[in-house]
Amino acid sequence: MNIDFKGRIVLVTGAGKGIGRCIALKVSKLGAKVYAISRTESDLDSLKEEDSSIETRCLDIGNCKNTRKVIGDIGQENLLVNNAGISKRKTILEATEEFIDEHFDVNFKAALNISQIVVKGIISRKGSGAIVNISSISSTLAFTGYPIYCTTKAAMDMLTKSMALEFGLFKSCDKYFMDVQDQNKLTIYSIEKDEVANTVAFLLSDYASIINGALVPVDGGHSIHMSPNPVQ
């Protein structure tokens, strides 16, 4: 299988470190013009040192208005990876309105906001494109102390299905709107970042043209396992 992204423009959020960084480097190596988004300038600087062809934008995607301006100025992007996310520990009784808003702003609203910008551009150009939303096994498996994070990831899964249903109606961009479930730092399992990046590259490619609205677990099969004592 030879994946070639030459001539494609890929936008990756949360690309400064971890899975997002690995994805940005992977699709760049496969020929894409990559725009890497992160709110940490130093992470973007080191990414640029590793691959000078990658364009970087320092941006807090939780700020919807500023995000629309920055992403809109890029233009022409036809592949999007909504990877950015935050995960902080607070129980349901401890969670404040500010804490809840912060998680939904970054983990859910930002993905919706950026997707709107990208899809409107694709439709206006009568083009085609792909969106991969990075979710988590936390969307279906609850983790003690992280109820708000888990809820935002469940919302991301339904957003992915809804995007597939709505955008699939446009024959000019009826390609693929998918959701990858990745291992996250809360679990004890070890999933290599490159394994997630390989899956994302496949989902963005023409080889995945028939896949639409799918939730694809990239977790070594751990999401099918139930603990014999789930409350501990």
Side-chain angles (χ1 to χ4, degrees):
M1 184 180 297
N2 182 27
I3 297 176
D4 185 357
F5 288 129
K6 288 179 181 177
R8 312 303 294 274
I9 299 176
V10 184
L11 182 66
V12 183
T13 68
K17 56 170 65 77
I19 290 173
R21 184 188 185 99
C22 191
I23 291 170
L25 292 169
K26 171 71 67 175
V27 296
S28 177
K29 186 177 180 180
L30 293 173
K33 178 60 179 178
V34 176
Y35 285 84
I37 307 295
S38 173
R39 61 181 176 182
T40 305
E41 189 74 61
S42 58
D43 289 340
L44 292 174
D45 290 342
S46 65
L47 176 63
K48 189 78 172 176
E49 290 177 3
E50 191 168 353
D51 186 338
S52 60
S53 71
I54 295 178
E55 295 283 343
T56 61
R57 297 291 187 273
C58 189
L59 174 66
D60 178 6
I61 61 173
N63 184 322
C64 286
K65 185 176 181 180
N66 191 41
T67 296
R68 295 188 79 85
K69 181 182 184 305
V70 173
I71 302 302
D73 287 345
I74 293 174
Q76 303 298 308
E77 58 271 84
N78 43 36
L79 302 175
L80 168 63
V81 181
N82 284 313
N83 167 76
I86 60 171
S87 173
K88 298 181 181 179
R89 183 184 179 92
K90 275 189 188 297
T91 66
I92 291 175
L93 294 179
E94 294 170 336
T96 62
E97 182 179 5
E98 181 182 12
F99 181 87
I100 295 168
D101 287 346
E102 181 185 17
H103 277 72
F104 271 93
D105 284 349
V106 175
N107 294 358
F108 177 76
K109 288 173 62 178
L112 175 57
N113 185 37
I114 295 172
S115 296
Q116 286 178 330
I117 301 166
V118 171
V119 172
K120 286 179 180 178
I122 292 172
I123 293 172
S124 69
R125 296 190 299 272
K126 295 181 170 32
S128 64
I131 296 177
V132 172
N133 294 325
I134 303 296
S135 182
S136 168
I137 60 173
S138 299
S139 67
T140 56
L141 298 177
F143 285 84
T144 302
Y146 294 85
I148 309 306
Y149 171 76
C150 293
T151 301
T152 62
K153 290 303 180 179
M156 173 69 88
D157 284 358
M158 184 49 68
L159 175 65
T160 297
K161 293 179 181 180
S162 298
M163 288 166 62
L165 180 63
E166 181 174 339
F167 300 145
L169 298 175
F170 295 99
K171 291 188 178 181
S172 60
C173 60
D174 60 356
K175 289 283 184 169
Y176 4 84
F177 294 86
M178 297 147 294
D179 190 0
V180 179
Q181 295 188 352
D182 69 280
Q183 178 268 351
N184 68 84
K185 65 181 181 181
L186 301 178
T187 71
I188 62 173
Y189 309 114
S190 176
I191 305 295
E192 296 296 328
K193 293 187 292 293
D194 196 55
E195 293 174 315
V196 178
N198 287 336
T199 304
V200 171
F202 165 71
L203 291 172
L204 290 173
S205 75
D206 289 341
Y207 289 104
S209 61
I210 198 63
I211 299 176
N212 187 34
L215 306 182
V216 183
V218 187
D219 62 2
H222 295 302
S223 60
I224 64 174
H225 170 72
M226 179 177 291
S227 169
N229 192 349
V231 298
Q232 293 185 355

